Amino acid sequence: MSPSDATHRSALLLVVVALACLSAGCVALPDEGVSQDHLEDRFAETEPPEELAATVEVTETVDGEVTTHTETVWLRADGTSRIETTEDGSEMVIVNDGSERYFHDREADTVRSYEIDSNATPYLEALYEQPERYVEAYDVTDIEETTVDDRDTYHVTFDPPANETIDRSISVQLGPDEYVLPLETSEVDTAERSADRVELWLDRETMFPVKHSIAGDGIELETTYRALSFDEPLDEALFEPPEADDGSEPDEFVFPTITNHESVDEADAAAPFTVAEPETDALPAAVELEEISRYEFHDENRTQVTLSYRNGDGDSVAVTTSDGQRQFAIGGQSIDVGNATGTIVHTDEGTELQWSCDGLYYSVFAGGGYGSETATAIGESLPTEC
C-alpha cells in the first residue's frame, strides 16, 4: 500500500422503525416511514466516539476473482490513528501521530513518513460525515433490522445515481491526507464499471457503518468492521512513530512537482528530453488532447511528461516520456515495439505498454474501451528505433 493510492470517501446511513432508542435517549421517527430529512437531522446530532478499535475485513470480487485483506485499526477523534494491514503476505503499519504519517513496511523493514496537512479530516470523523452525503445523493429503497457480528444494525439499501463509477481502490487513504473506507463511487469516467447496488449496515446504538457493500458490472466490494470497541482507553504506545529494526531514521516522502502545459512544444522546452508525441493516425478516432502534465520526482531525480487524450464517451489514452524507469507494466508479457523490446500488461483499468529506447522510457496506457492493438499502434508511432 502506498500513500498515493487512494481515492476517496466511505460509508453509512439510516434508520426506520417507529421508535429507535439510543444511549442518549429515545428518538421518534416519522409515522409515514423513512424521511431523508429526518435522517439528515439524526446524523447531524450523532457525535463520533472518542476512540475506536476494530478488525476490518475487505473483500473485492472482479469478474469472479476474489481478493481479500485484513486491517486492524485504532482510531481517535483527535486524528491520531494506527492501521496494521496484511495483504499477500506483506505487512504494513501506518501510524498518524497528529503531525506526521509513518509507513512501516515490516517485510522490507523500511519506514517512510510525510507531514500531515493540518486541515485534514480525521479518519474517524470522516466515517461519520459520509452518511449525510449518501442521504443527500441517493434514494433509499429498503431498510430492515438485522445483526452484523452480534451488533444490532439497520441494513439500508440505496439506489445509486446513474453513471457513477466504482472506485476499486482498497487503500484506507483519501489522497495523501486522510483515511476513509475504500468502497464508494465517484463521478469520474462513465466508460468504467458503474454501480447498481449500494448497501450499508449501521450500528443502531452508535450509527457507526459496520458494513458497506457496493456492486455492479461484474464487481463487488465489501468492508466489514468486526470486534468493534468504542471509548475503551487505547495504549499510548500504539500511536508512537514506528522504527526500523536497525534504528535508522524514517525516509521522508517527497511528492512530485506537477506542472501543466498549454502545448507539447511548451512541455518539450521545459523537459530535459524530447517529448514523444504520437502520430495522429495512430490515435483512436475522436480522441482529443486534454491535458499535458510534467512531473518532477525529486527523490528519484526523474522527470516525466504525460499527454492525456479522451473522447466524448470517456475512453482515455495516455502517452508518457520519462528519463527514468516507471514502475508500470512490470511482470507482464514481453513484446516487440519496433526494434525495442517492451512489456505489456492487461488490467481491469486498461492496457499498459512500456519500453526503453536510447536512455529514455516510453509508455502507452489505453483505457478499458481500447485494447492491445490500440496500445501497440500508438507505441509504434513513437521512438522505437534504438
Side-chain angles (χ1 to χ4, degrees):
M1 182 185 332
S2 77
S4 61
D5 288 336
T7 83
H8 253 75
R9 313 126 248 240
S10 305
L12 52 315
L13 138 37
L14 320 70
V15 327
V16 79
V17 259
L19 207 49
C21 291
L22 306 203
S23 58
C26 292
V27 179
L29 297 182
D31 292 338
E32 65 272 17
V34 179
S35 163
Q36 294 200 359
D37 288 341
H38 174 81
L39 292 173
E40 291 180 18
D41 293 341
R42 177 68 187 87
F43 284 115
E45 66 188 21
T46 301
E47 293 293 330
E50 288 300 311
E51 298 181 325
L52 175 152
T55 298
V56 188
E57 297 175 359
V58 181
T59 302
E60 178 179 9
T61 305
V62 179
D63 297 330
E65 183 176 346
V66 181
T67 59
T68 63
H69 83 269
T70 301
E71 299 166 354
T72 305
V73 301
W74 295 268
L75 312 175
R76 283 175 162 175
D78 64 5
T80 54
S81 63
R82 180 186 181 93
I83 297 176
E84 297 183 1
T85 180
T86 302
E87 185 174 5
D88 297 329
S90 178
E91 295 183 33
M92 179 75 74
V93 177
I94 306 171
V95 175
N96 176 344
D97 69 356
S99 60
E100 293 272 333
R101 178 160 291 141
Y102 299 84
F103 296 79
H104 183 190
D105 183 333
R106 284 179 165 168
E107 184 176 8
D109 192 31
T110 58
V111 179
R112 304 183 74 185
S113 69
Y114 66 87
E115 187 176 349
I116 298 170
D117 184 343
S118 60
N119 295 319
T121 302
Y123 179 14
L124 188 55
E125 181 180 338
L127 292 178
Y128 274 85
E129 286 181 347
Q130 190 63 31
E132 185 175 355
R133 298 173 189 167
Y134 270 36
V135 171
E136 291 175 353
Y138 295 176
D139 292 326
V140 177
T141 60
D142 187 53
I143 298 178
E144 62 178 357
E145 295 181 350
T146 184
T147 60
V148 174
D149 199 35
D150 295 328
R151 283 189 169 272
D152 293 332
T153 62
Y154 295 106
H155 177 194
V156 186
T157 304
F158 292 93
D159 181 18
N163 296 326
E164 287 209 348
T165 60
I166 294 175
D167 181 349
R168 287 180 293 282
S169 171
I170 53 176
S171 167
V172 292
Q173 273 194 278
L174 173 57
D177 293 316
E178 68 185 69
Y179 295 117
V180 295
L181 286 175
L183 309 181
E184 60 193 54
T185 64
S186 55
E187 296 182 21
V188 180
D189 186 345
T190 57
E192 296 194 9
R193 301 171 185 264
S194 60
D196 55 31
R197 175 174 58 81
V198 175
E199 297 180 68
L200 296 155
W201 287 256
L202 300 169
D203 179 61
R204 282 187 242 166
E205 180 180 356
T206 64
M207 299 302 288
F208 183 82
V210 297
K211 186 176 179 180
H212 184 179
S213 177
I214 183 170
D217 292 349
I219 185 169
E220 183 168 359
L221 306 169
E222 185 172 283
T223 295
T224 306
Y225 281 72
R226 300 191 182 279
L228 268 167
S229 173
F230 296 100
D231 289 328
E232 292 187 11
L234 300 179
D235 189 339
E236 289 292 337
L238 289 169
F239 309 100
E240 294 178 358
E243 295 183 355
D245 290 343
D246 62 7
S248 59
E249 292 294 317
D251 294 325
E252 186 175 354
F253 279 113
V254 180
F255 294 101
T257 300
I258 304 174
T259 305
N260 291 324
H261 295 283
E262 295 295 325
S263 67
V264 176
D265 287 343
E266 181 183 298
D268 191 77
F273 47 74
T274 300
V275 176
E277 184 175 11
E279 297 175 4
T280 302
D281 58 3
L283 291 166
V287 299
E288 295 183 356
L289 184 58
E290 184 177 68
E291 188 174 65
I292 304 168
S293 302
R294 175 167 52 92
Y295 299 77
E296 298 201 43
F297 297 88
H298 306 287
D299 56 340
E300 301 177 37
N301 193 27
R302 180 172 70 85
T303 300
Q304 75 177 47
V305 174
T306 298
L307 312 181
S308 301
Y309 300 81
R310 190 177 294 272
N311 66 18
D313 294 325
D315 295 322
S316 62
V317 168
V319 176
T320 297
T321 309
S322 175
D323 57 7
Q325 187 169 12
R326 304 167 63 231
Q327 297 302 307
F328 290 91
I330 303 301
Q333 297 178 329
S334 179
I335 185 173
D336 290 333
V337 188
N339 74 345
T341 299
T343 310
I344 192 166
V345 169
H346 306 283
T347 69
D348 194 54
E349 287 75 27
T351 300
E352 180 90 26
L353 172 65
Q354 178 171 275
W355 71 100
S356 62
C357 189
D358 291 337
L360 293 179
Y361 295 82
Y362 302 92
S363 68
V364 175
F365 173 79
Y370 305 115
S372 300
E373 292 183 1
T374 298
T376 303
I378 296 172
E380 291 179 345
S381 77
L382 301 174
T384 60
E385 300 302 316
C386 306

